[in-house]
Amino acid sequence: MATSTSRTAMPTQRSNSSRLLDKGFVWVTGAFAIGVGLVLLAIAYRVGTDSLPAIQRFGLGFLATTRWSVNDEVFGALTQIYGTLVTSFIALLIAVPIGIGVALFLSEDYLPPRIKQPIVFLIELLAAIPSVVYGLWGIFVLIPLLRPFGIWLNANFGWIPIFSTAPAGPGIYAAGIILSIMILPIIAAISRDALVAVPTEIRQAAYGLGATRWETIFQIILPAAFSGIVGGIMLALGRAMGETMAVTMVIGNSNSIDLSILSQGSTVSSLLANQFAEAGGLQVSSLMYAALILFGLTLVVNVLAELIVRRFSLKL
Amino acid sequence: MAPELQNARKTDTVFRTENLNIYYGDFLAVRDITIEIHKNKITAFIGPSGCGKSTVLRCFNRLNDLIQSFHMDGKLFYRDQDLYAAEIDPVEVRRQIGMVFQKPNPFPKSIYDNIAFGPRLLGYKGDMDELVERSLKQAALWDDVKDKLKEMGTDLSGGQQQRLCIARAIAVQPDVILMDEPCSSLDPISTLKVEDLLQELKEKYTILIVTHNMQQASRASDRTAFFNVEANAKGQRTGYIVEYDRTEVIFQSPQEQATQAYVSGRFG
């Protein structure tokens, strides 16, 4: 009987402490994951409840009016919403083609690795520059540099509404350009990853059929990497809409809406940065309302990104 | 189409090489390849791993040009035209000499667009629907996919994907089809289908096939080249052709002992 009991015993008996460690690990990591989600919900809840007075007072009209008067306690954020969308749009307009171009150049074998690697690193380093430094650079370098160009645009193309005002120095276009530089590394890095991930076999199949390099890139590689590239662009858009410091420093912070991109303006985030310190009462609530809208905008962008990525993602 | 390559279609020897040496950087990968490939025949390259069969195959459509460290000396003639002459555009070469790869590699596009890709590059003016149907029929895939041409090529099974890749190669009406172990990732039934297909295709095309599978070479090919590999003093392994003859000679009465040993399964 003694032999039979030893035979039925499990070959490796795990100690209780080892099992406990396993369980504990699952619990701890689970708590971290849930905790992060809860933080998001808590922020959303706080912003939501704090903005309630403003929502009750102004309703959806808040989105459609431009008046922001602390003395009369009348608030509307159309100017800022418009500024946020326009600066982000300008940023994408510049950064998307350049970013994808950079990604293409660095994903193909144009350069030997020892030259390519440092360039990749430098571009990614752009993302590491603090935004206040971008803002300073914008004030002292970019704006003076852009001024003659803005004057020329206004003088020659002033009949187009978006160039219809004389540039005042800071303005929407300066903010858009600063933003484009800030989001460029996001688009370039994510697009490059997506392009590099396209299997070599597919590339070779295209070359094997007598496709040139350009035909291969435009007809095979870019479509195959499409979902990844869109994902990168959307991430960049989210960054552009929320970016505060650099934009606040170069946009001019005027509460007036003007189609001209040479005019001054403001964004939701620059409004928040400028006013929160001295705000009280309904103004705080209105700022919270504006923050909620920004929150909503970025949420929409992210959901859209997710949908586009799913719709076009290709099984490779 | 380049006129040099156009004229070249007329002769009976499709490829002729003279003392090809293939290097990756300083490393001599394959040496001294002298071989003639005949029209409308299936020529098999067999041999142990690392003997340079695929490397040699990829010289015939200049696909090795994509590898930066690749260079080659010796001569490679495609129908009397020096394929590596300065005036020859590798893109033109690949339009004449199609390729099917080891791993099925359909584009992440619809079945239809996979086939139409090559003809569109060439500016095909005829009836594309008809060409797609004809190519798929030649590749024995039409009945499997005729109702789902809009679905992704990548959703097909492995065997179907490989036949799709063959159909894609045929669609540009090449002169030669190079196949680099086309059945190595397929199950036995799909493998037999592809082998049957080869017999039909050789009516119209010249086929070169690299294979690990000796039965496949003996079943399917007309001529066989046996490659072997030897290491030099520094341990670098260089491939070379031991023997090249009609397939039945290689498998039944080879001249070289190494061939005999390999085809009877004693090594490799």
Side-chain angles (χ1 to χ4, degrees), chain A residues 109 201-202 204-212 215 219-220 224 314-316, chain B residues 58 66 68 91 94-95 101 103 105-109 117 121 152 154-155 168:
Chain A
D109 55 356
E201 290 87 10
I202 292 180
Q204 293 201 334
Y207 286 127
L209 283 166
T212 62
E215 287 162 344
Q219 296 181 35
I220 301 297
L314 303 161
K315 279 171 242 154
L316 296 174
Chain B
R58 281 160 184 252
L66 302 176
Q68 279 178 341
V91 168
R94 295 178 202 133
R95 289 176 177 184
F101 295 81
K103 196 173 141 204
N105 55 356
F107 298 128
K109 294 173 178 286
F117 178 79
L121 287 182
M152 297 291 282
T154 39
D155 286 344
R168 181 176 66 187

Side-chain angles (χ1 to χ4, degrees), chain A:
Chain A
M1 283 312 283
T3 48
S4 80
T5 42
S6 71
R7 216 177 275 157
T8 51
M10 293 294 285
T12 51
Q13 195 67 269
R14 288 175 62 205
S15 68
N16 279 337
S17 64
S18 148
R19 281 159 195 257
L20 214 64
L21 204 66
D22 267 12
K23 270 215 178 105
F25 187 72
V26 173
W27 277 105
V28 169
T29 49
F32 288 158
I34 293 166
V36 172
L38 284 179
V39 168
L40 177 80
L41 289 180
I43 294 173
Y45 175 77
R46 185 64 202 271
V47 172
T49 49
D50 283 7
S51 61
L52 265 181
I55 294 175
Q56 281 157 355
R57 179 77 169 272
F58 306 113
L60 286 176
F62 188 75
L63 306 176
T65 52
T66 60
R67 183 141 179 250
W68 189 277
S69 167
V70 180
N71 295 331
D72 302 338
E73 294 219 308
V74 176
F75 302 105
L78 179 62
T79 311
Q80 286 72 32
I81 295 169
Y82 170 82
T84 300
L85 294 178
V86 170
T87 49
S88 302
F89 181 74
I90 294 172
L92 286 187
L93 211 62
I94 299 169
V96 167
I98 297 179
I100 295 178
V102 167
L104 270 177
F105 185 75
L106 294 176
S107 65
E108 292 285 314
D109 55 356
Y110 292 113
L111 296 175
R114 73 196 148 76
I115 301 176
K116 186 154 70 181
Q117 278 312 322
I119 296 180
V120 171
F121 180 68
L122 282 177
I123 289 168
E124 285 173 5
L125 213 60
L126 272 181
I129 299 176
S131 66
V132 66
V133 176
Y134 273 108
L136 283 176
W137 179 79
I139 291 171
F140 292 112
V141 181
L142 185 69
I143 289 174
L145 211 67
L146 283 175
R147 207 180 148 77
F149 182 63
I151 291 170
W152 178 83
L153 272 178
N154 177 240
N156 292 283
F157 298 96
W159 48 275
I160 305 174
I162 57 168
F163 302 128
S164 59
T165 58
I172 288 177
Y173 72 131
I177 290 170
I178 284 274
L179 281 178
S180 73
I181 300 169
M182 296 176 80
I183 65 174
L184 185 72
I186 302 176
I187 295 177
I190 296 179
S191 301
R192 181 171 171 273
D193 288 347
L195 290 167
V196 170
V198 175
T200 333
E201 290 87 10
I202 292 180
R203 217 174 270 255
Q204 293 201 334
Y207 286 127
L209 283 166
T212 62
R213 191 196 277 271
W214 286 109
E215 287 162 344
T216 305
I217 288 175
F218 280 105
Q219 296 181 35
I220 301 297
I221 297 176
L222 273 180
F226 181 80
S227 69
I229 293 174
V230 169
I233 292 172
M234 287 296 179
L235 210 66
L237 178 57
R239 169 88 199 269
M241 292 199 309
E243 172 52 40
T244 309
M245 198 60 207
V247 172
T248 309
M249 290 165 82
V250 300
I251 199 168
N253 301 305
S254 86
N255 184 42
S256 60
I257 203 162
D258 196 314
L259 276 183
S260 171
I261 60 166
L262 303 177
S263 71
Q264 302 190 348
S266 60
T267 66
V268 175
S269 50
S270 73
L271 174 80
L272 296 177
N274 276 316
Q275 303 213 343
F276 242 110
E278 301 117 33
L282 194 59
Q283 191 186 359
V284 171
S285 181
S286 298
L287 289 171
M288 284 293 190
Y289 192 4
L292 195 65
I293 290 164
L294 186 60
F295 212 166
L297 278 176
T298 45
L299 190 71
V300 168
V301 166
N302 279 300
V303 170
L304 271 182
E306 189 66 27
L307 286 179
I308 292 173
V309 168
R310 267 195 218 160
R311 167 77 181 73
F312 291 99
S313 79
L314 303 161
K315 279 171 242 154
L316 296 174

Side-chain angles (χ1 to χ4, degrees), chain B residues 162-201:
Chain B
Q162 195 60 303
R163 278 179 283 149
L164 178 65
C165 293
I166 293 172
R168 181 176 66 187
I170 297 170
V172 291
Q173 280 147 14
D175 184 27
V176 184
I177 303 176
L178 308 177
M179 296 189 170
D180 188 359
E181 300 193 40
C183 300
S184 66
S185 61
L186 303 187
D187 61 82
I189 294 169
S190 305
T191 299
L192 279 181
K193 280 188 180 167
V194 171
E195 283 178 22
D196 289 345
L197 184 57
L198 291 183
Q199 300 308 318
E200 288 171 36
L201 292 177

